[in-house]
Amino acid sequence: MLSYQHVYHAGNFADAHKHWALSLLLQALCKKSTPWRYLETHAGRGDYDLTSEEAQKTSEWTAGILPLMQAKGPCPPEFDAYLAAVRALNPNTERLTRYPGSPAIAAGFLRETDQLALCELHPGEYAELKRQFGRNRQIHIHQRDGFEGVMAMSPPPEKRGLVMIDPSYELKEDYQRIPAYVNKLTKKWSNAIIAIWYPILAEKRHEKMLELMRQLPLNKTLRSELILTPVARGMYGSGMLVVNSPWRLDEQLQAGWAYLSEALRGDPKASCSADWLIAE
Ligand SMILES: C[S@@+](CC[C@H](N)C(=O)[O-])C[C@H]1O[C@@H](n2cnc3c(N)ncnc32)[C@H](O)[C@@H]1O
């Protein structure tokens, strides 16, 4: 069993980037009335307690969601859905005490006809997901390997939807595994929107993954990256690839970048980009 626990990192700058982009993808799916399904390989627990010992130990959220929530000035409408999901968990307080993980954000977009399928291997995280969402008939929770589970469940009956791939990259082979996985997945379900989050580390391991992705026979694949001041060790950037990127996602990300960079004002070198890894 891997040791990674997302509660230490919940709400950090990378989550702000990832979950903001995720909210834009879910909004895009809701533009049509036809049902969609959201499948996630590595769901986490869905709702993080920012007052917990673990979250307090690193306090990463104080340099991510906290300054974003406190940012002054007119907030671009592109952030409305994401920030509403954070506020929904913190209704009666000015203080942030909880942070929504990707399952909670996706659950907030469910219409009567839509479904979530969430895979999470860790017994504690799985139990917490079950506790939160187990009674919702539209949310299917699986304690199984997410790569294997999502592949087995694809394509879903709706044939329309989003696959979120968000491993911890504790296993270095994930960087090689993901392009091969996406290649296989798109052969089973060609019009799936596939979001792949990746860390940007001093070792720049993501570059090999991007190179391998570029060689795949994919349609429009958008890359968006949020980069802070480089550090000698650890993560200093957050990346997201979106295969079969919805119409105008690039413009929406670009419209919000200045605000996001400004909100992370503790880091004057914060920079953002959205470009096509694979154009149509
Ligand atoms: C980065 S966290 C997920 C965060 C979540 N997607 C979010 O944005 O809120 C990665 C999660 O994957 C789980 N995990 C690790 N290996 C897994 C596997 N093979 N299949 C499914 N889940 C796994 C870990 O327990 C951890 O909760």
Side-chain angles (χ1 to χ4, degrees), residues 39 144-156 181 185 188:
L39 299 102
R144 67 195 282 191
D145 173 71
F147 286 117
E148 175 267 318
V150 166
M151 189 66 78
M153 291 185 266
S154 297
Y181 184 81
L185 186 63
K188 287 186 86 177

Side-chain angles (χ1 to χ4, degrees), residues 112-187:
E112 272 180 13
T113 50
D114 308 323
Q115 311 280 325
L116 306 190
L118 308 171
C119 295
E120 171 56 54
L121 207 49
H122 189 284
E125 305 294 278
Y126 167 75
E128 187 53 30
L129 263 185
K130 268 292 218 204
R131 192 189 64 73
Q132 282 179 58
F133 299 116
R135 281 185 297 277
N136 187 327
R137 286 164 173 255
Q138 290 170 260
I139 304 183
H140 314 278
I141 304 168
H142 307 272
Q143 189 180 13
R144 67 195 282 191
D145 173 71
F147 286 117
E148 175 267 318
V150 166
M151 189 66 78
M153 291 185 266
S154 297
E158 298 80 10
K159 303 260 189 326
R160 180 171 181 263
L162 167 60
V163 172
M164 176 80 180
I165 302 178
D166 184 25
S168 64
Y169 294 87
E170 276 175 292
L171 298 174
K172 293 186 190 65
E173 52 268 33
D174 280 347
Y175 293 98
Q176 263 96 48
R177 179 185 194 177
I178 286 173
Y181 184 81
V182 168
N183 195 28
K184 187 170 170 194
L185 186 63
T186 50
K187 292 207 161 73

